[in-house]
Amino acid sequence: MLPPRIGLLIWVALIHLTGIYLFTKGFLLTRLSLSDFTTCSDANCGITPTHKRAIFIIIDALRFDFISPNPPIPISPFHHDILTLPQQLTAQDPSRSLIFNAYADPPTTTLQRIKGITTGSLPTFVDMGNNFGGSSIAEDSILKQLKLTGKKLAFMGDDTWMSVFPDAFEPNMTFPFDSFDVEDLHTVDEGVIKHIFPLLEDATKPFDFLIGHFLGVDHVGHRVGPDHPSMKAKLRQMNEVLERVVQQMDEDTLLVVLGDHGMNRSGDHGGDGVLETSAGIWIYSKGQPLTDTSSARPSGLLQFKAFPQAEAPHRSIQQIDILPTISLLLGIPIPFNNLGTVIPELFWRGNNRRGTLEKALEVNAAQIMTYLDTYRSSSSGSELDDAWQSLQNAWNAIDRTQSATDSKLVTLVNFNRVALAACRAMWAQFNPFLMSLGLSILSLGLCASWAIYNGFEDSKQDWAAWLSPRLWKATQSSVVGALVGAAAQFCVSGLLPGVSASQFVLFFASLASTVTMIIVSAPKVTSKTLTSTPIILILHAVAFLSNSFTFWEDRIVPFLLVTSIVPYVLRGFSAPNTRLRYRILGFSLLFTVCVRLMAISTICREEQQPYCHVTFFASSSLPSPPIPVLYLSIPVAIALPYFIERMLHITLADSGVSKTHLRIFLTPTLLAGALYWIMEWADSASVLGEGWAALLRGSRTWIARMSFVWMLAAGGALWSLVPLCLDIQTSFEGEKRQVTIVGYANAFGSPYLIFWGIFLGIVYICTQLTGQVVLALATVALVAFLEVLDSVRDARSIEAAFASATPSSVLDPAATLNFSPPIQFADIVPISLLGLLAFYGTGHQSTITSLQWKTAFLLTPTFNYMLSAFTVVSNSLGPVFLFALAAPLAGLWNTAPLMAAKEEPNVQSDVQAKNEGTKAALGIMMYYLALLLGTAVSAAVLRRHLMVWKVFAPRFMTAALELLAVDVAVLIGVGLGLERITSRLARMFRGRPTSPPEQKEK
Amino acid sequence: MTSSKKTKSKPQQPQQPHEVPKERALRGSTSSLPMVSYISIVGVHTTLWSFVALYLPRTNFLGDLASFAQQAPPKTSQDRPQHPFLEALTTDPTTTLLYICLGAVVLQSWWAGWVREWWLKMGVRGTEDEKRTEIAHLNSRKLSISRDAWGATFATSLMIHFILILFGAPITSLSLKTYFLALLISIMTVYSPAYSIGIPTLGNGSAAIVNRWTWVRLFAEFSISNPIERMLVYSALGTVIGCWLGVIPIALDWDRPWQAWPLTPAFGAIAGYIVSSILAMTVNAVFQLAEEHTRTQQMLAEEKSK
């Protein structure tokens, strides 16, 4: 049967899951996708098509300024004025060539943008999670409309399209290429180039609509950033391709070139920064003019926007506007879900300019109104209630305005924009009821954890007997709660829309369970409770209510971390003897210095500018490690295991199997990690020349694979066979046989640290060079803190012994238990914060943009769903996971197995270690749960805040993921690590409980 | 407070065991803090501190000496210009801090003189004669003690600079600003105790050990045994906590010039110092009153029994 303390941790984790699930369901938005499609009664919907064919070229991450005729100042030599064809042709003939600055709706990820461009709808936040999985679009799209009119579609490039539109293209004109190999800058582009020109040259004109999706620019951005010679070469290549396309296309073909999104200064994207949402669009026609430049277009229809640091504002549109525009230009109906507006310039042509534009806008507005009507009559229609009145007003205004006037055009455009704004607001619609259910489960979970934590503290050695019945009661009541929930759903489901039966059941089960737990283990509130208020935790959790504190969290964490060590330092001054005094002060200093050094490394958030300098990379636009880190990486990888060995030597726990582990497994793994990333750097910076690229790529993949297998399989196997770091020496003093157990004083801590080292190795490989140095510093800080904790505990127990009636009992190991103070919540706080600091120091932020996609190609050169996801997750959540896994060490470090005292021989040797280890695990769960609660409350309260999708929601999602990582870590730590160690120790000392082993200490 | 009673009553009782109660009450008030002067000095002291913090930096008695290399003017949004009162304080934080530090030197020298006098009255043990010679001896060495105390203040300022960096102050940039903050904190917290108690030394003599442990008792364990210690410990704690809290507003994205480093922690420290000095005074006064009250009660009881 499951030991009760593991059952407890699972129970707490389940409560977390339920709370997160309920809250997320209410908070993250979903959009109902309608499967209707548009049909036009009259031919071509009443608009004369201008072109028979279209070439639709997507240059992934083509930011507006890359093609802008007036790029921002200062001009970058690497990406400005290089792709010059659009501006050249526009200068030559502005009636056939138009450049726009298009606003791409966030999240600015390729899948979302493909959906947006082809369906004309808005992405919702939840969609983004599907970026890896992809999922085919059931909604109406331009591809579907083209198919319906019997047009032939050709495709080449990014294979994301294949997952979205699996059977839209002609099989003999479909050339997909793997899109996730960010390190490969050329394969996709060369594939597109190879296949596009034969189709263009083909005299039979086999295609009506050709999609070419180039990925190179995006990959260069991810890999080396926009300010790099590679970007210049890439853009020049794109320019040449476009020149050839323009040369070869015929007169009735429309050319559209666009970026699906932009990129930020370091070349990444995903968020809603202005650089990420500004994409370029270029529309070109060789034959018929696109627009009439001889007469002025009606003012009030055209918007202008200045790109950051650009001198003049440029014509700006919504990116989805391209969809109705090319639909009508090609003579097909506008897709049903479209919310874009036709671009006025492109219909301001021919003899009846005003009439054409008005007709196009009317078709457009009618399509949007049909969509809104249909959505309103759907099951999610009530979402539109708030905006309906203003939509109606805007719609009625169209009928009231005189036809063939400027104001008619303006009212039409106005209606479309009001509809777009209403839908944007609608899909920021929340379910406050579900959110409050989630919040209440999370809060009750926190209270219950606190109650159990206090119960553990009070029950001391009898905790197992204390815990089992309570856990059993909580389980029983959760079953009852589930039944009540089912019944409640049956009764009130009509009153509360949007809550499903399973959500009711989950809520009531967790509610009953947590409330029962709180009642049966109600903590005694004493004055001690008040004095031990975790002020740091409260400040930390409350800080999430401010957007400033949320995006400066990476600076706040080290500040709080150094603050959290202050009580130990003060304790150090008054320690009872010199040795303890020096130990506490020295290790505290080591700890704080490490923390401060870790805090230097940062990858800045956009919001932190201009007060932040990127130190994780060499510069903000060059994602390679800084030069000093390159020199440091190998020495650090060698020094870290040596440091651990040295620290274990203090308690002689470096004997036994620990030396083997450190020298044969940890050192090679860390070295391999450093080597992998140095080779990666050499490859991307081409320090050795192009000839080496293939060799570097191949060998570094094998290095990573081999060290993974070595550490996980061989290291893990050895540890599980021989976990203990004890060395048993037998000597004879005359007749008497003397058995000495070396390393006994740290019998629990040292094997656990070795166990932890296995995971350290794995996370270390998955971390980039600067992050590796940070992880090493964090490890040093962790061990230093454990030593501080141990010394402070020694100081306390010595004082307690002197204060007791029998001061000499300080020498009696069996009696020390009574004086050894239990760990407190304050002892867990530094470890929790250390995890967060390591998260920030290893180049992460609570933003989607800061995910390090490079790590997806650690174990395989091409994208692999399982392995890439694993390495990216270990890279992002690894630091938090590691320090949650280390939390039980706070209770285990330098704790020796209890001696069975003569009067009570039944005391198990590991009862204290198990209790303290579990308490520490529970403590770190509480810390991260409190942070999650803080972020969830702030996201819920500030859900209409300007920054909610930029700051609060990402921080909430990070906190949720971090909490899950913590839950998994403590379950592995306590369920696997601690369990194995205690069972081995118990077996070792079985049979000799009455003669306590000779202790050789320090 | 129980122990503070002990220190006061112990030396008295052997000398005037059976005095007239009236005289005893008189003696009690002279050997404990002279409340009236204490309260008025704290009042003057805290008022002067506010003056030093808010008005001294607007003068420019140092002329060009205190004009540091001007950085780009701190930005403030045009629609919400900052209050003109703050303008002089925020134009150059380094100069502001320098003026405050200079003011602090004068102010703390004066204040430490009083603290020392009270401390000698209460802290020196022994018979009346021994006390008198001890005090005379210490007073003759006033100058060297003061020099040592300033030395300790300076040394601590370097240590505090390091501690500020550990707490997250920039390592290489803005060093002068950080240093002035460190200097200000150390003048506020270190000088008065160093001047009155004496600086802790590493010697093995009993005096050195007692001295060292007094510092540990006061500033690491926060255990207080008389009103003077209370004012020292409270003001040091108040300064540090105020400085710690002063860091918080820096992160806010309000773009106010007063958020410039190290203005908020410096003013936080001063505010903390003022508040905690007044708090210490209040607590001292309350205890004193309570003590006098019990003493009167005893007197009445004794008179009744007569």
Side-chain angles (χ1 to χ4, degrees), chain B residues 12-281:
Chain B
Q12 298 161 12
Q13 269 165 6
Q15 286 163 23
Q16 282 106 14
H18 304 292
E19 270 299 326
V20 199
K22 235 181 201 171
E23 271 199 45
R24 229 170 100 184
L26 256 171
R27 281 221 77 86
S29 63
T30 49
S31 75
S32 63
L33 260 182
M35 232 27 211
V36 178
S37 69
Y38 168 56
I39 291 173
S40 60
I41 286 166
V42 169
V44 172
H45 183 57
T46 49
T47 315
L48 284 177
W49 255 116
S50 330
F51 170 79
V52 163
L54 298 175
Y55 288 94
L56 195 62
R58 328 176 158 265
T59 61
N60 51 353
F61 62 88
L62 288 177
D64 288 343
L65 275 175
S67 60
F68 295 92
Q70 286 284 331
Q71 279 107 18
K75 61 172 184 176
T76 173
S77 45
Q78 293 300 313
D79 51 325
R80 270 190 321 151
Q82 78 165 335
H83 195 276
F85 182 82
L86 292 173
E87 200 63 50
L89 299 177
T90 57
T91 16
D92 184 8
T94 322
T95 317
T96 308
L97 263 280
L98 175 65
Y99 277 103
I100 294 179
C101 283
L102 288 176
V105 169
V106 177
L107 214 47
Q108 291 305 90
S109 314
W110 172 75
W111 166 251
W114 284 103
V115 176
R116 184 166 182 275
E117 212 179 294
W118 296 326
W119 172 263
L120 292 183
K121 261 189 201 155
M122 299 189 72
V124 179
R125 316 250 170 119
T127 64
E128 210 55 37
D129 283 344
E130 281 169 356
K131 272 172 141 182
R132 212 169 294 134
T133 38
E134 176 70 15
I135 290 174
H137 172 68
L138 284 173
N139 277 342
S140 69
R141 288 180 51 236
K142 223 177 202 168
L143 213 61
S144 72
I145 290 175
S146 164
R147 192 196 59 212
D148 288 352
W150 281 119
T153 308
F154 174 72
T156 325
S157 74
L158 296 177
M159 224 155 75
I160 294 177
H161 188 108
F162 180 66
I163 292 172
L164 287 176
I165 286 176
L166 287 183
F167 268 92
I171 297 175
T172 47
S173 54
L174 309 180
S175 295
L176 195 60
K177 292 178 186 181
T178 312
Y179 179 70
F180 279 145
L181 176 64
L183 185 64
L184 178 66
I185 297 171
S186 89
I187 293 171
M188 286 201 283
T189 53
V190 177
Y191 182 68
S192 329
Y195 187 57
S196 40
I197 303 173
I199 54 171
T201 47
L202 285 174
N204 257 335
S206 62
I209 289 175
V210 166
N211 198 349
R212 213 157 58 222
W213 279 102
T214 310
W215 280 78
V216 168
R217 174 172 62 82
L218 290 182
F219 298 105
E221 294 174 352
F222 308 121
S223 87
I224 299 161
S225 60
N226 66 38
I228 315 292
E229 289 178 0
R230 176 166 294 113
M231 64 180 88
L232 290 176
V233 171
Y234 274 32
S235 62
L237 264 180
T239 309
V240 171
I241 292 173
C243 183
W244 191 89
L245 290 174
V247 171
I248 292 174
I250 297 178
L252 292 168
D253 59 349
W254 297 349
D255 284 337
R256 306 274 83 196
W258 54 258
Q259 286 175 296
W261 175 258
L263 290 179
T264 45
F267 282 89
I270 295 171
Y273 182 88
I274 293 174
V275 169
S276 58
S277 298
I278 294 173
L279 186 69
M281 180 188 80

Side-chain angles (χ1 to χ4, degrees), chain A residues 27-61:
Chain A
F27 180 65
L28 295 182
L29 312 162
T30 46
R31 177 171 64 90
L32 187 75
S33 77
L34 302 174
S35 53
D36 308 56
F37 56 92
T38 313
T39 46
C40 277
S41 49
D42 46 349
N44 303 325
C45 300
I47 311 283
T48 329
T50 55
H51 293 80
K52 282 186 186 154
R53 251 167 252 108
I55 302 173
F56 196 78
I57 290 182
I58 296 174
I59 299 178
D60 211 294

Side-chain angles (χ1 to χ4, degrees), chain A residues 521-598:
Chain A
S521 51
K524 287 182 244 87
V525 177
T526 57
S527 62
K528 193 173 163 283
T529 327
L530 281 180
T531 51
S532 61
T533 314
I535 297 168
I536 288 179
L537 173 58
I538 292 171
L539 282 178
H540 195 167
V542 167
F544 292 121
L545 283 169
S546 149
N547 56 337
S548 312
F549 292 136
T550 307
F551 59 65
W552 284 109
E553 198 193 357
D554 60 338
R555 306 282 175 90
I556 294 170
V557 166
F559 182 67
L560 293 179
L561 193 46
V562 175
T563 307
S564 72
I565 203 81
V566 168
Y568 300 96
V569 174
L570 292 178
R571 196 88 187 98
F573 281 109
S574 58
N577 65 47
T578 326
R579 180 177 165 276
L580 285 177
R581 209 150 43 227
Y582 282 144
R583 270 173 60 86
I584 295 176
L585 295 180
F587 280 119
S588 298
L589 184 68
L590 180 63
F591 175 85
T592 43
V593 167
C594 285
V595 166
R596 184 65 184 90
L597 291 177
M598 282 167 75

Side-chain angles (χ1 to χ4, degrees), chain A residues 228-418:
Chain A
H228 192 273
S230 300
M231 183 61 92
K232 188 174 184 178
K234 195 54 148 175
L235 288 172
R236 189 166 281 157
Q237 182 195 25
M238 289 296 111
N239 201 40
E240 285 160 12
V241 169
L242 291 181
E243 275 170 1
R244 271 184 76 188
V245 170
V246 166
Q247 220 170 40
Q248 296 188 357
M249 64 189 263
D250 50 27
E251 302 233 318
D252 47 12
T253 302
L254 179 71
L255 174 66
V256 179
V257 176
L258 66 115
D260 55 346
H261 49 73
M263 60 170 72
N264 64 13
R265 285 191 204 287
S266 59
D268 297 314
H269 57 86
D272 61 352
V274 68
L275 294 179
E276 292 159 86
T277 55
S278 299
I281 287 191
W282 174 47
I283 306 173
Y284 176 70
S285 162
K286 211 170 178 180
Q288 198 180 346
L290 288 168
T291 181
D292 182 9
T293 46
S294 61
S295 62
R297 293 136 186 162
S299 62
L301 296 184
L302 312 182
Q303 284 185 324
F304 288 84
K305 197 168 77 181
F307 189 81
Q309 293 169 320
E311 281 178 333
H314 196 90
R315 178 75 177 89
S316 87
I317 57 171
Q318 301 292 318
Q319 194 181 45
I320 51 175
D321 291 350
I322 192 69
L323 177 77
T325 308
I326 52 172
S327 298
L328 292 182
L329 290 181
L330 292 176
I332 55 167
I334 302 174
F336 191 80
N337 298 297
N338 168 59
L339 290 168
T341 305
V342 291
I343 303 171
E345 285 96 326
L346 286 127
F347 296 88
W348 188 253
R349 58 182 158 76
N351 299 325
N352 181 11
R353 294 182 293 256
R354 191 177 299 279
T356 316
L357 179 54
E358 191 178 314
K359 181 69 190 156
L361 280 169
E362 268 172 2
V363 171
N364 193 189
Q367 167 265 323
I368 291 180
M369 194 62 206
T370 315
Y371 171 64
L372 293 177
D373 274 331
T374 319
Y375 200 91
R376 188 162 159 76
S377 57
S378 75
S379 60
S380 310
S382 59
E383 293 169 7
L384 271 170
D385 285 351
D386 295 344
W388 197 248
Q389 193 54 46
S390 60
L391 283 170
Q392 283 294 336
N393 292 343
W395 179 250
N396 294 334
I398 297 173
D399 291 337
R400 285 201 300 272
T401 344
Q402 177 86 40
S403 188
T405 58
D406 278 4
S407 55
K408 179 78 173 178
L409 300 175
V410 171
T411 46
L412 281 164
V413 170
N414 177 53
F415 168 74
N416 293 356
R417 289 309 189 215
V418 168

Side-chain angles (χ1 to χ4, degrees), chain A residues 922-950:
Chain A
L922 197 60
I924 200 163
M925 280 169 131
M926 276 158 65
Y927 196 96
Y928 279 89
L929 176 57
L931 292 193
L932 174 68
L933 199 59
T935 56
V937 167
S938 71
V941 172
L942 302 167
R943 62 185 183 277
R944 299 288 172 201
H945 192 278
L946 187 66
M947 298 264 196
V948 66
W949 297 115
K950 220 180 166 78

Side-chain angles (χ1 to χ4, degrees), chain A residues 441-461:
Chain A
I441 291 300
L442 291 175
S443 331
L444 284 172
L446 187 59
C447 294
S449 310
W450 185 64
I452 301 164
Y453 187 89
N454 275 298
F456 260 55
E457 204 146 89
D458 296 338
S459 57
K460 289 192 174 154
Q461 292 177 43

